[in-house]
Amino acid sequence: MKAIVQRRDSASIEALTGTVLCHDVRDGGGKVVGAKGTRLDPDSARVVLAAAWDEIHVLVIESGDLHEEEAGSRLASAIVGDGVEIKGYTGGQWTLASTRRGLLAIATDALDEINEHEGIAVFTLWNGQPVEPGEGVAKAKVTPLVIPEQTLTAVEGVSRAAGGITAVRGFRRHTVGAVAREKLEAKQRARFETALSEKIDWFGSRLLPVRYAGASARAVADEMTALRREGAEVLIVAGASALDPLDPVFGGLELLGARMERHGAPAHPGSLLWVARWDGASVLGMPTCGMFSQATTFDLVLPRILAGERIGNREVAALGHGGLLSRDMAYRFPPYRASAARGELE
């Protein structure tokens, strides 16, 4: 790439053709007749030459260089992964969008490596964020008007090694079983069942009729066993006194031989979330605040389980970064209701 000052007295259509404008060129009325970044062909060169100017700055594309649009197109194509598509080009940026409802997966290390290259800018939503079909998840931009092709070749290599930079992991259809303590009053039961059904439906999974267990470890174990027999692949347990080691729920887990993966989460609201593993299934202990709310640790972990991820101690521990779940973090939660704000608290 070579930058030159083109003076009026030496300008010609032939000299301008193939060059790239470094700035807008305007006519006497102030109208843009040559936009910044335009690669001039004979027709556009003729229009620019007819405008009133003393000098303009242009770039000459040399062997091994790429114009920003061609380079940007290659960049966008390189970073697309499963569940993501290129939606279009506008304002110098290529937009990538989700093709499905699911969790956005960003290869963050590879993204950082790509963005270390001079002239490359790829910016995304947060890794692990739930997204809807058609939702914009990333943009790709080549910041200079002309860039060395070797830069794009290097970027393509990084992305290829990572299997793509952006992907959306679709939610898998699961059969979900839920056990709650029978101490819940009728109104609380109805409200809990409605809220939980709404969530499970959004993921495209099926919720079995909620079961209510008595105040004994055996009662909890029996209800969980019955749900497993009915085909439950994921189990949710609500209403336990999470700070009481002798709560019947934990006794029931012990009777079943379940393994506690993590008791408590470094985040709020929902710090009393717990996760166990039993008979090949995830058992998710819903914190009390999560029974009727749409924005707790439960709503961060459940989507990952329903996207096929196994959640254990390490994954829950990682919730500490960003664990102050304020209303400003609504984007991290599923938009369960089209009529309500994402992550809206009740």
Side-chain angles (χ1 to χ4, degrees):
M1 175 192 69
K2 181 180 179 181
I4 64 172
V5 176
Q6 179 64 66
R7 301 192 183 280
R8 181 74 186 197
D9 55 12
S10 61
S12 66
I13 293 175
E14 292 75 15
L16 292 176
T17 297
T19 64
V20 178
L21 292 174
C22 295
H23 53 80
D24 291 341
V25 176
R26 299 176 182 274
D27 63 15
K31 179 182 177 181
V32 175
V33 294
K36 176 181 61 178
T38 299
R39 187 172 186 176
L40 299 173
D41 58 20
D43 289 338
S44 55
R46 184 176 293 106
V47 173
V48 167
L49 190 59
W53 48 270
D54 293 325
E55 70 173 41
I56 56 175
H57 300 169
V58 297
L59 299 175
V60 176
I61 298 179
E62 299 177 308
S63 176
D65 289 338
L66 294 174
H67 183 264
E68 63 167 338
E69 286 193 28
E70 181 183 355
S73 177
R74 283 178 56 172
L75 174 61
S77 297
I79 65 174
V80 166
D82 187 43
V84 176
E85 65 180 358
I86 299 172
K87 291 296 289 186
Y89 173 78
T90 182
Q93 300 176 2
W94 295 86
T95 298
L96 279 62
S98 173
T99 62
R100 58 167 70 113
R101 176 176 287 181
L103 290 183
L104 180 61
I106 304 296
T108 54
D109 288 344
L111 175 64
D112 290 347
E113 186 176 349
I114 282 175
N115 280 328
E116 286 178 2
H117 289 276
E118 185 76 23
I120 298 296
V122 177
F123 32 105
T124 74
L125 298 182
W126 283 105
N127 182 40
Q129 183 172 329
V131 294
E132 293 277 31
E135 186 172 352
V137 298
K139 288 183 181 291
K141 179 181 177 64
V142 172
T143 54
L145 299 175
V146 177
I147 192 169
E149 184 176 14
Q150 65 183 15
T151 299
L152 269 297
T153 301
V155 164
E156 289 165 337
V158 172
S159 184
R160 187 164 50 248
I165 303 302
T166 61
V168 174
R169 295 186 289 126
F171 298 115
R172 304 177 185 177
R173 180 173 174 79
H174 289 77
T175 298
V176 180
V179 177
R181 294 290 306 281
E182 66 177 6
K183 64 184 178 181
L184 288 177
E185 298 177 356
K187 287 185 178 180
Q188 290 177 313
R189 290 188 183 190
R191 188 180 176 203
F192 167 64
E193 290 179 15
T194 298
L196 185 57
S197 294
E198 186 177 68
K199 293 180 181 185
I200 301 304
D201 287 347
W202 188 84
F203 295 109
S205 288
R206 177 173 71 102
L207 178 66
L208 296 171
V210 177
R211 289 177 171 267
Y212 294 90
S216 73
R218 174 50 59 189
V220 173
D222 288 348
E223 296 296 354
M224 291 179 63
T225 300
L227 286 170
R228 199 77 172 104
R229 287 174 179 164
E230 291 177 22
E233 302 160 282
V234 175
L235 292 165
I236 295 169
V237 181
S241 179
L243 296 177
D244 181 1
L246 300 179
D247 186 275
V249 165
F250 303 121
L253 291 174
E254 186 175 352
L255 285 175
L256 293 171
R259 182 179 71 256
M260 184 64 70
E261 299 272 352
R262 172 81 186 206
H263 196 148
H268 177 81
S271 60
L272 295 182
L273 175 110
W274 52 267
V275 180
R277 190 81 179 171
W278 169 59
D279 190 28
S282 292
V283 184
L284 186 57
M286 178 184 283
T288 302
C289 61
M291 294 183 69
F292 312 111
S293 173
Q294 299 184 58
T296 72
T297 55
F298 177 83
D299 303 285
L300 295 180
V301 173
L302 181 63
R304 294 170 63 177
I305 291 175
L306 296 182
E309 186 175 348
R310 180 167 174 173
I311 301 296
N313 178 52
R314 186 177 185 85
E315 290 75 21
V316 176
L319 295 178
H321 183 203
L324 291 175
L325 303 178
S326 66
R327 290 182 181 274
D328 294 333
M329 289 193 176
Y331 61 87
R332 295 181 63 186
F333 300 103
Y336 296 120
R337 299 176 186 170
S339 59
R342 182 181 294 215
E344 183 175 85
L345 296 170
E346 294 187 359

